[in-house]
Amino acid sequence: MIARGARGVGVIVGVIVGLLAAAPVAHAQPADDSDGVIVVNGGASTDELAKLRKRIEALGVLQPTSAAVSAALENEPPYDLQPIKDAYASFEFDRADELIEVALGELFANGAPDQMAAGAGELLYWRGLVADNADRGDDAVAWFAAAFRIAPDLEIDRGTTSPRVRGLIDAARAGRPKTRTLYIDTAAVEPGTADLMIDGGAPQPLAEEVDLAIGYHLVVVTARKKKPFAALVDIRAARDNGLEVVLDDEDDVSRARRLRVETLDARTTEDRLKRARRLAKLTGARRFLVIEGDTDPRVRVYDAVADTESAPMALKKATQPSVLAALLGVDAGALGTDPPPWYKRWYVWAAVGAVVAGGSVGLYAYSQREPTRITGF
């Protein structure tokens, strides 16, 4: 009897765990009685965001969504550099190279256009370090040259760069390679609708030919309500170099990124609440904690169900546990303790209820593509 009961509990747990994987449903409508909170960042630092998210999680109301959508709304890079640093520090250079490739894929698939250059420069710098330590000096120089071409202001990690490596970096930065033409196939892009950015430069109308120095370059193409196209192209001397540009329709990540900008740009409560309702449709959250201002960030909370806006409050004050609980209108009893157990969180049972009521739950699938590297045709 006990064994049979344990199996039954195991089945229930298995079902609910499965539902948790499906909980962040794309285009979900917020339930009127949900407390889900999403952060929309327009000024907080990475450390401030981490503290704020931890405390919202402790309240049990942080809306579950994909890491890519959260990063888009918080204006954070869609990859984590720390595992790359850890692999490098452990002399696991093949592993570090694999992680860099994955991170480039995440950046190109889910990064904001204005993040691409800084992110690519950072990742290629680490690829140069890995190549050097794997005794591939020529590759290291090529990656360093690309890193500082794409991100000229990139800061060197003094803890990982020996005098020899700094010499390679100086040589890479001083190089003046010849140029070749990149031929861009724009047949799949509606004329006059897209902009082109090369190596983090200013947007310009998409052209069919661009002269570039021999080596690696970052090419980003953008158009309104389209998913950005990003590629790392390898310009070589002894061949024609080509790139086909295809702009896909917006996905949830690029839509979240656009709605973030539109939310921060809105100047009236009515417009903010309109954007909040659109974000609610995208994420399933009810409340949106919006952070504005670089030097003195301020916080407002928008409720997409009640159509309300809180008074502005300094981020530092809003992050205080009791103040945050009051701001979000939730019980502060759990603050200062571990996050509530998964089975006590509202979205677990909301997901269960959705299955009972509707017979099925949509599965949110987060996918990433490998970085596009063009080697000519």
Side-chain angles (χ1 to χ4, degrees), residues 180-184 196 198 204 207-212 235:
R180 294 281 293 176
T181 300
L182 172 66
Y183 299 95
I184 303 177
L196 171 69
I198 302 290
Q204 55 187 305
E208 296 184 350
E209 296 183 13
V210 181
D211 290 336
L212 299 174
I235 303 299

Side-chain angles (χ1 to χ4, degrees), residues 132-144:
D132 175 68
N133 280 273
D135 294 325
R136 293 184 281 110
D138 289 345
D139 287 345
V141 170
W143 293 125
F144 287 142

Side-chain angles (χ1 to χ4, degrees), residues 205-281:
L206 180 60
E208 296 184 350
E209 296 183 13
V210 181
D211 290 336
L212 299 174
I214 293 170
Y216 293 98
H217 296 267
L218 174 66
V219 177
V220 178
V221 180
T222 60
R224 178 161 174 77
K225 293 193 176 182
K226 293 288 186 179
K227 183 179 173 66
F229 173 92
L232 190 64
V233 297
D234 182 9
I235 303 299
R236 298 186 184 180
R239 62 153 190 228
D240 286 339
N241 299 279
L243 173 65
E244 180 184 7
V245 173
V246 177
L247 293 174
D248 297 326
D249 290 337
E250 277 186 324
D251 58 5
D252 284 350
V253 177
S254 52
R255 186 174 296 110
R257 192 185 307 115
R258 174 172 59 82
L259 289 175
R260 169 190 167 272
V261 173
E262 291 178 359
T263 299
L264 294 170
D265 286 347
R267 288 293 172 260
T268 67
T269 298
E270 182 181 357
D271 284 346
R272 281 284 176 86
L273 289 170
K274 182 187 298 184
R275 269 60 180 189
R277 288 189 289 273
R278 293 176 183 174
L279 284 169
K281 185 176 181 181

Side-chain angles (χ1 to χ4, degrees), residues 84 95-105 123 126-127 130:
I84 296 169
R95 173 65 176 157
D97 219 15
E98 292 171 359
L99 291 172
I100 292 169
E101 191 74 9
V102 170
L104 283 168
L123 292 170
W126 280 91
R127 176 157 276 181
V130 169

Side-chain angles (χ1 to χ4, degrees), residues 160-182:
T160 57
T161 53
S162 65
R164 178 178 54 79
V165 170
R166 288 197 290 272
L168 290 176
I169 292 173
D170 289 343
R173 299 183 76 165
R176 295 292 181 268
K178 295 180 179 180
T179 62
R180 294 281 293 176
T181 300
L182 172 66

